[in-house]
Amino acid sequence: MRPEVAVIGLGRIGLPLAVSFADRGLRVLGIDKDAARLQAVRDAQMPFQEPGAQDALDRVHAAGTLAVSDRVADAAAADHIVITLGTPSFSHVEIDISDIRSALDDLLGHLRPGHTIVLRSTIAPGTTDFVAGYLEKHRGFHIGEDVFVAHAPERIAAGHFMEEIRTLPCIVGGVGPESGERVGSLFEVFGAPIVQTTAVQAELAKIWTNILRYANFALPNLLMMDCEQYGANVFDVIELINRDYPRGGIASPGLTAGTCLRKDFAFSEERSNAPGMLLAVSRVNESVPLFLVEGMKRRLGSLNGRKIAVLGLAFKGNTDDERDSLAHKLVRLLERELADVAVHDPRVATPTPPFAETVSGADAIVVAANHDEFLGGEPLHEIVALAGGDALVVDPWNCFGAAQIFAYVAELSAVTNGRVPLP
Ligand SMILES: NC(=O)c1ccc[n+]([C@@H]2O[C@H](COP(=O)([O-])OP(=O)(O)OC[C@H]3O[C@@H](n4cnc5c(N)ncnc54)[C@H](O)[C@@H]3O)[C@@H](O)[C@H]2O)c1
C-alpha cells in the first residue's frame, strides 16, 4: 500500500490524527520509534484513553487503511508528511526541537519535489521558517514551489480530539506561494473551516491559545492564595465577581499544569518583550501544591507520620494523562514533610489502591484531579464513613460542592445541608 499521508510520532496527538485521516479513507502510514506503541496499533488497541478513538481505530483496522513503521525515512513514500513529535522546553526557557531535527535529518536524503511537510507539533515562533530554511540549505529546495512546508497547529483539548478535529477552525501558516493551499486541502478532509495565515502567525496563535488558558487559571489560583491570607472564601469572592456581571468572568481555582500549558509559555518567553510576566504566571500555578501543603500544616500541625490521601494523579479531570501533573509535585512535597501519602486514581495507568483503602483513616484528603468519579455527595459520604469527622478535606476544584478549599469533614457535612450525614 503506498501511503498518501505519513504521520511521524504516534503520541496523544499523532495517533488520533493518523486514525482520523485513515477513518476518512486516506491511506496512512504512522511512524513511531516506540515498539510497544506500534504493536498496540497493529493490535488495534488504543494505548491511552481518547473518547471515540478506539471505535475509529477498530474501523480503520478493518478497512486496512493504517499501516505503521519504526523508520522515519519510510514517511517519504507519502506525498504529505505530518510531524506530531513532542516539543518540550529546556529549563533554559527555550524550545527543545531535537526530535524534529532528528526526524528532518532522517528524511533529508529521501525528500523529493512534490513533498509537503506539515508541522502539527506546537513550536516556538520562527520554527517553521527554520525548518523551511533547513531543507533549502541542505537540499536546495525552493520551499513553496517544489517542496511545501506549513505549520498547522493542533489546538484540540485532550479528551475531545475526535469531536474537535471536525469542528475547530484549522489554522494553516504556509511558507512560500503554495504551501498553505496544499496543507489546507489535506486538512479539508475533516470538514472544519481552514484559516490561512503566515507561518509565524500560526505559531503565535497556537502558543497564545495556551498562554491565555494558563494565565486565565493563574488568576483564580492567586486569588485562592490571597483569600487564605485574608481569611476569605475564594468561592464566595468568585461568585461576587461573576454574578450578573456582563463583562467576562473569572475561572475557578485548581491544579493547572499538563504538558502543553506548562511549556508553551516558555516558547513565548524566548523573545518576550515583557520578560518575566509569563514566568510569574507559571510561578503562581506551580505554587498551588505548596500552598495546599502549607494550608494542611497550618490546620493539622506537622504532617510527619500523618496519613494524607491524594485523589487523582492525572494533570486534569477525566484524562489518564499524568505528564507534567501537579498531583505528582503535591505527592513529592507531602513526602518531604514525612507524611504517609496514599494515592488513588481510577483512570491512570499507574496502579493505585481502591478509593476506600486510600481514604480510610486519613488525616487529610486532597482532591488533586477533578475526575467525575470524585464529584458530588457519594465520594464525600465514603470519606465521612472511612476517615471520620476530624479529617481535613482539601478540595480546590470544589468537587464535593461545599465551596471550601480547606474544611473538616464535620464542617463539610454541615455546609452540604445534611446531604452528607455526620459520622
Ligand atoms: N497532548 C495534547 O493534548 C496536545 C494538544 C495540542 C498540541 N500538542 C502538541 O503536539 C505535539 C505532540 O504532543 P503529544 O502529546 O502527542 O506527544 P507524545 O509525547 O505523546 O508523542 C510523541 C510521540 O513521538 C514519538 N517519537 C519521539 N521521537 C521520535 C522519533 N525520532 N521518531 C519517531 N517517533 C518518535 C514518541 O515515541 C511518542 O509516541 C507536541 O508539540 C505538543 O505540544 C499536544
Side-chain angles (χ1 to χ4, degrees), residues 149-165:
V149 173
H151 181 40
E154 184 58 79
R155 295 193 303 154
I156 64 95
H160 300 273
F161 191 101
M162 304 313 267
E163 97 208 32
E164 292 192 345
I165 193 73

Side-chain angles (χ1 to χ4, degrees), residues 62-103:
T65 44
L66 175 62
V68 291
S69 165
D70 63 356
R71 282 170 34 93
V72 169
D74 290 349
D79 286 342
H80 299 290
I81 301 171
V82 183
I83 297 179
T84 49
L85 293 161
T87 46
S89 65
F90 289 121
S91 51
H92 307 284
V93 194
E94 174 198 0
I95 186 172
D96 174 0
I97 52 166
S98 50
D99 281 349
I100 292 181
R101 278 281 296 266
S102 145

Side-chain angles (χ1 to χ4, degrees), residues 109-359:
H110 304 272
L111 291 177
R112 53 173 163 72
H115 264 136
T116 302
I117 313 261
V118 188
L119 292 162
R120 189 72 167 166
S121 303
T122 305
I123 45 184
T127 307
T128 309
D129 281 337
F130 158 77
V131 168
Y134 198 76
L135 300 181
E136 243 165 36
K137 178 174 174 179
H138 293 286
R139 287 292 310 274
F141 292 127
H142 297 288
I143 304 302
E145 292 171 28
D146 44 17
V147 163
F148 308 94
V149 173
H151 181 40
E154 184 58 79
R155 295 193 303 154
I156 64 95
H160 300 273
F161 191 101
M162 304 313 267
E163 97 208 32
E164 292 192 345
I165 193 73
R166 298 187 278 111
T167 52
L168 280 189
C170 176
I171 299 171
V172 177
V175 180
E178 243 192 83
S179 297
E181 294 309 316
R182 292 201 176 215
V183 172
S185 306
L186 173 65
F187 279 85
E188 264 170 14
V189 71
F190 297 121
I194 305 291
V195 190
Q196 295 285 351
T197 182
T198 63
V200 79
Q201 289 191 172
E203 292 164 338
L204 286 164
K206 166 61 198 178
I207 60 174
W208 279 83
T209 300
N210 280 358
I211 286 169
L212 180 63
R213 282 174 68 70
Y214 200 51
N216 249 337
F217 294 134
L219 296 177
N221 287 339
L222 181 59
L223 180 60
M224 167 174 69
M225 299 187 244
D226 285 355
C227 282
E228 168 87 347
Q229 180 186 320
Y230 292 114
N233 182 318
V234 65
F235 297 107
D236 287 348
V237 177
I238 286 174
E239 157 70 8
L240 292 169
I241 295 169
N242 289 344
R243 179 186 289 200
D244 295 336
Y245 191 69
R247 281 173 286 282
I250 189 166
S252 298
L255 278 81
T256 308
T259 176
C260 286
L261 293 190
R262 212 166 185 201
K263 70 182 168 71
D264 288 0
F265 80 90
F267 298 178
S268 166
E269 284 286 303
E270 274 189 1
R271 293 156 203 249
S272 176
N273 286 300
M277 176 182 152
L278 297 176
L279 288 177
V281 163
S282 163
R283 286 286 298 274
V284 169
N285 289 327
E286 287 293 320
S287 300
V288 170
L290 184 61
F291 162 76
L292 298 176
V293 171
E294 293 299 323
M296 281 185 260
K297 281 166 66 182
R298 267 193 296 278
R299 289 158 176 89
L300 298 177
S302 167
L303 301 183
N304 189 347
R306 312 294 291 271
K307 178 175 178 180
I308 313 292
V310 174
L311 301 179
L313 272 182
F315 82 88
K316 67 173 184 181
N318 302 334
T319 178
D320 62 350
D321 194 346
E322 291 178 67
R323 295 176 301 172
D324 275 343
S325 170
L326 284 180
H328 288 282
K329 183 173 186 176
L330 176 69
V331 169
R332 287 194 299 272
L333 292 176
L334 287 167
E335 285 173 349
R336 282 167 62 183
E337 297 294 329
L338 301 171
D340 297 333
V341 185
V343 181
H344 168 72
D345 190 314
R347 296 194 179 235
V348 300
T350 305
T352 58
F355 182 90
E357 184 182 328
T358 305
V359 302

